Amino acid sequence: MESQPTSTPPLRHARWVRSSHWIITISFLLLAFSGFVILMCHPRLYWGEVGNDLTPALFELPVSRNYQHGGWENQTPFFATAGSPVSASRSYDIFNQNGWGRSLHFLSAWFLVITGVVYLVAGLFTGHFKNRLWPQSGEFSPRLFWRDVVAHLRMNMFTAQANYNPLQKAAYLGVIFVLMPVIVLTGLTMSPAITAAYPFLLKMFFGAQSARTIHFFASVFLELFLLVHVAMVIRSGFKQHMRAMTIGK
Amino acid sequence: MKNRTLITRRKALVAGLTSLGALMLPGCSKPVPPTYGNILRMGDAFTYAAQRTLLPGQSLVKEYRYGDISSFPATGTTNPADTSSPQFNEDYSRHLKNAFADWGLSVEGLVSHPGKYSLAALQKFPARKQITRHTCEEGWTAIAEWTGVPLSTVLQGAGISQNARFVSFYSYDGWVDCIDMLDAFHPQTILAYGMNGRDLPVPHGAPVRLRVETQIGYKSMKYIERIMVTDTFVDVGDTGWAWYVGI
């Protein structure tokens, strides 16, 4: 059913939605920033349990002077066999701001995780997920999705509505129930104390370095979501959306 | 009618804050790592408290197969005997020339018989071999086989006091750091003198390095010279790095 712009109920958000939205926004921006600083220290990504400057990378990102740095002394093999793993000493002063970078990352992560858990519990019990985010029957049909995609591309459905369209619902559900859990769990998989207690995490994400790589891609997807989200907010009535998400009217 | 059992937001908040305060009160009398009024250190302290509260006591980290041993970069101080290095140490240089023959690891503080352990004496203790993953704060990982003596064996041999709370390590390259008793008595926390079946190489901390497998790499200090057992936190000032890095 197509709703008429004139008859749509005004956009409102509950207080807990508004406060968790902004706490998570600030935490996410700090996490993205500190995460980038941490990545700059070692801009190489791997698959499996092991990855370092002496082993091959999946890919390297040219984001700091540590990119493809060659500051290594002669390699010494550990074993007498051919193709033995080696040791080499670093002779190069790398970029490393992880002292504050890591601590800021984890501090922000606490705010994100605690607020996220409160949000999930509230969303479940207030019916927020069921009423506003969960697709109505038949709403996620390919035909309706396609119509929604076309409408977005033509940019002709940009009026702020209380009812989310299928693409919007899919995006929010993907962020809340896929990307966020994945990024939190892969983050925990990089922790030695946590994987000692819960070794299934290493199995689930194929190793510590795979978890780091998945963590990176999840963050890229979340940043893309943020860009699209902000663009949509601007296109479909910035003032109205900001009022709805701040003072709630 | 007034409903007395109704939990208002205000009541919930007051109750929550009161119980939080009650949780923090005993913390004040304990010798805990300082936060220096730094919000980042407060976050680290929260992570420490959360992990110690929520995680089961002494789970073992994953141990790997021999074939999983990987290449292993040596970073930080890689040779304290190098005169051109700012971490140059004359004593270390002398011991290295002497193949650590008269080197000794000093164990002091809250132990009933403090003393020095030669390399041979450490090797006489029942050894533990473990193939584990080193996780560097920089983001890389490497797997190696470590041979050494569990720190708990040495501490118990030296007669560690009931009041002990922290074990501090002093290294030849000038680094000082400490761990709590849970990590000190973790079965995989060892004083390693062997790596991948050979003597521990100089770039990796010869003659003896610490392995704290439940924390990030920088807690596994190299070139250990002295161990000090204390009942209070040995404060070396804010290094800019988190003290507890189980995460």
Side-chain angles (χ1 to χ4, degrees):
Chain A
M1 201 186 85
E2 197 73 272
S3 55
Q4 298 301 311
T6 44
S7 66
T8 29
L11 200 62
R12 282 182 195 281
H13 296 292
R15 191 177 291 173
W16 66 270
V17 173
R18 286 179 274 138
S19 23
S20 55
H21 175 270
W22 292 112
I23 295 173
I24 286 175
T25 306
I26 295 167
S27 317
F28 179 76
L29 292 175
L30 287 172
L31 279 159
F33 168 64
S34 53
F36 188 74
V37 170
I38 295 168
L39 183 68
M40 280 172 78
C41 185
H42 193 77
R44 287 163 63 87
L45 290 153
Y46 315 87
W47 199 256
E49 288 276 33
V50 159
N52 58 59
D53 284 296
L54 307 176
T55 67
L58 270 184
F59 57 92
E60 278 198 69
L61 297 161
V63 293
S64 81
R65 67 183 148 99
N66 298 355
Y67 172 62
Q68 295 183 339
H69 85 78
W72 296 95
E73 282 169 12
N74 286 341
Q75 300 191 346
T76 322
F78 282 119
F79 308 113
T81 50
S84 155
V86 297
S87 170
S89 298
R90 183 189 282 155
S91 58
Y92 171 89
D93 187 23
I94 66 160
F95 169 91
N96 189 342
Q97 293 295 313
N98 281 1
W100 61 265
R102 284 171 50 88
S103 293
L104 179 60
H105 202 68
F106 304 140
L107 179 65
S108 321
W110 275 117
F111 280 94
L112 182 104
V113 166
I114 292 170
T115 313
V117 167
V118 170
Y119 173 83
L120 283 177
V121 171
L124 215 60
F125 286 101
T126 59
H128 176 71
F129 293 153
K130 202 178 128 220
N131 300 333
R132 305 205 58 183
L133 295 180
W134 209 251
Q136 309 295 314
S137 71
E139 195 182 9
F140 271 17
S141 74
R143 195 179 56 84
L144 286 179
F145 254 120
W146 180 243
R147 203 175 66 179
D148 210 13
V149 169
V150 172
H152 274 80
L153 290 175
R154 288 193 186 141
M155 298 195 173
N156 65 0
M157 62 187 312
F158 294 130
T159 44
Q161 290 176 6
N163 298 324
Y164 297 139
N165 60 56
L167 269 187
Q168 223 175 339
K169 284 186 176 178
Y172 290 150
L173 289 173
V175 165
I176 296 164
F177 295 107
V178 181
L179 288 176
M180 280 296 182
V182 162
I183 207 159
V184 169
L185 290 176
T186 49
L188 294 176
T189 309
M190 286 183 259
S191 149
I194 288 168
T195 48
Y198 305 109
F200 75 87
L201 285 168
L202 285 171
K203 279 204 182 115
M204 196 168 146
F205 295 111
F206 316 102
Q209 288 296 342
S210 311
R212 182 169 173 260
T213 301
I214 298 169
H215 194 76
F216 167 76
F217 280 112
S219 84
V220 170
F221 283 122
L222 284 171
E223 279 140 23
L224 286 176
F225 165 79
L226 176 68
L227 288 180
V228 174
H229 178 64
V230 171
M232 291 295 159
V233 165
I234 293 170
R235 284 285 309 180
S236 62
F238 183 73
K239 262 190 181 168
Q240 200 188 345
H241 278 299
M242 288 311 266
R243 281 175 63 94
M245 201 40 110
T246 49
I247 56 174
K249 285 175 192 166
Chain B
M1 197 184 85
K2 229 177 172 181
N3 188 349
R4 286 189 162 272
T5 55
L6 187 75
I7 303 172
T8 62
R9 191 174 0 215
R10 186 175 305 173
K11 270 189 201 163
L13 222 99
V14 168
L17 284 176
T18 314
S19 47
L20 202 75
L23 274 176
M24 285 163 79
L25 261 178
C28 294
S29 63
K30 281 180 186 169
V32 287
T35 56
Y36 314 98
N38 181 331
I39 187 167
L40 295 180
R41 298 290 87 85
M42 292 175 201
D44 299 338
F46 186 74
T47 303
Y48 174 55
Q51 286 206 355
R52 284 290 179 260
T53 311
L54 300 175
L55 294 180
Q58 293 200 319
S59 333
L60 298 184
V61 304
K62 182 176 175 183
E63 295 197 14
Y64 296 82
R65 288 173 298 115
Y66 199 73
D68 294 327
I69 291 173
S70 76
S71 291
F72 207 121
T75 60
T77 309
T78 50
N79 185 5
D82 177 3
T83 46
S84 65
S85 147
Q87 283 83 31
F88 171 72
N89 182 296
E90 221 172 303
D91 287 341
Y92 185 84
S93 180
R94 193 169 44 79
H95 284 306
L96 181 62
K97 266 182 214 140
N98 210 1
F100 303 106
D102 54 357
W103 172 88
L105 174 69
S106 173
V107 180
E108 310 160 18
L110 292 178
V111 288
S112 51
H113 16 278
K116 271 199 170 186
Y117 294 82
S118 69
L119 200 51
L122 288 176
Q123 285 165 344
K124 242 180 241 153
F125 283 112
R128 185 184 160 86
K129 251 188 206 207
Q130 57 198 36
I131 302 175
T132 50
R133 186 185 69 247
H134 180 93
T135 305
C136 182
E137 49 78 18
E138 292 171 9
W140 53 267
T141 53
I143 292 175
E145 182 200 67
W146 306 99
T147 311
V149 48
L151 179 61
S152 60
T153 307
V154 175
L155 292 176
Q156 278 169 327
I160 187 166
S161 153
Q162 297 263 344
N163 301 325
R165 293 291 306 276
F166 295 99
V167 182
S168 299
F169 300 87
Y170 297 76
S171 80
Y172 281 104
D173 62 350
W175 196 252
V176 183
D177 203 352
C178 65
I179 55 177
D180 69 2
M181 297 317 288
L182 202 75
D183 276 337
F185 275 76
H186 189 281
Q188 287 165 318
T189 298
I190 64 171
L191 293 166
Y193 45 74
M195 182 185 189
N196 295 337
R198 297 185 190 178
D199 288 346
L200 188 64
V202 171
H204 293 283
V208 168
R209 78 175 295 172
L210 180 67
R211 292 296 314 163
V212 185
E213 305 292 0
T214 47
Q215 293 203 43
I216 289 292
Y218 67 79
K219 297 299 279 193
S220 292
M221 285 169 61
K222 306 197 275 192
Y223 316 109
I224 306 282
E225 182 179 12
R226 196 153 67 88
I227 295 178
M228 173 79 88
V229 181
T230 56
D231 56 354
T232 51
F233 187 84
V234 176
D235 187 9
V236 291
D238 191 354
T239 59
W241 291 85
W243 168 74
Y244 178 74
V245 274
I247 192 151

